[in-house]
């Protein structure tokens, strides 16, 4: 039988070999010239994938129904605030842009947002607002009118 001392030495030796193996390959991986580039590409791809998922989930309401528009407006404001609190500025700005674009009085809402949002977030909002407004206008023009269906 193996005594406790020999077993302890063998376990310590195996542990040391394993840690040395991990350190060696981690150092080899970090010194690889393409490692940082691959890591950046993976992170960028993941980020763009998440943006596509978030943008694709925003479904515009029927712009003829004031109740649906109001619900959508409140939902987008709430989502924008929640994402802003979580630190996800890009998605927060996307939802706030949707709310501003659908709002009946966008100038007043923009004044309120300018006072409440951090300056860099508000600048991003103003930068993206024309693009989102065009998207909403385009989707509004593609919705068939009820009169045309009859």
């Amino acid at each position: 039988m193996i005594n406790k001392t020999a077993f302890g030495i063998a376990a310590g030796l195996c542990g040391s070999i394993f840690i040395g193996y991990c350190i060696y390959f981690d150092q080899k991986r970090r010194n690889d010239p393409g490692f940082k580039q691959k890591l950046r590409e993976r992170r960028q791809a993941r980020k763009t994938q998440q943006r596509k998922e978030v943008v694709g989930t925003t479904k515009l309401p029927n712009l003829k129904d004031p109740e649906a528009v109001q619900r959508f407006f409140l939902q987008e404001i709430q989502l924008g605030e929640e994402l802003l609190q979580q630190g996800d500025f890009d998605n927060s700005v996307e939802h706030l842009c949707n709310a501003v674009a659908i709002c009946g009085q966008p100038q007043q809402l923009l004044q309120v947002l300018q006072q409440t949002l951090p300056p860099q977030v508000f600048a991003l909002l103003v930068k993206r607002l024309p693009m989102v407004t065009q998207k909403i206008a385009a989707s509004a023009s593609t919705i068939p009118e009820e009169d045309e269906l009859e």
Side-chain angles (χ1 to χ4, degrees), residues 93-136:
V93 165
E94 187 72 30
H95 288 286
L96 290 173
C97 279
N98 288 338
V100 171
I102 215 91
C103 180
Q105 300 172 339
Q107 292 301 325
Q108 291 178 349
L109 181 59
L110 282 173
Q111 288 175 354
V112 170
L113 289 173
Q114 184 177 15
Q115 294 171 358
T116 58
L117 293 175
Q120 70 272 14
V121 175
F122 184 75
L124 189 59
L125 176 91
V126 171
K127 181 181 174 186
R128 286 194 189 171
L129 190 58
M131 181 176 51
V132 172
T133 306
Q134 287 176 352
K135 180 181 81 169
I136 289 176

Side-chain angles (χ1 to χ4, degrees), residues 59-64 133-146 148-149:
K59 186 173 186 268
L60 297 175
N62 180 3
L63 299 177
K64 304 271 185 213
T133 306
Q134 287 176 352
K135 180 181 81 169
I136 289 176
S139 69
S141 66
T142 60
I143 296 174
E145 302 224 1
E146 293 175 10
E148 293 175 2
L149 293 176

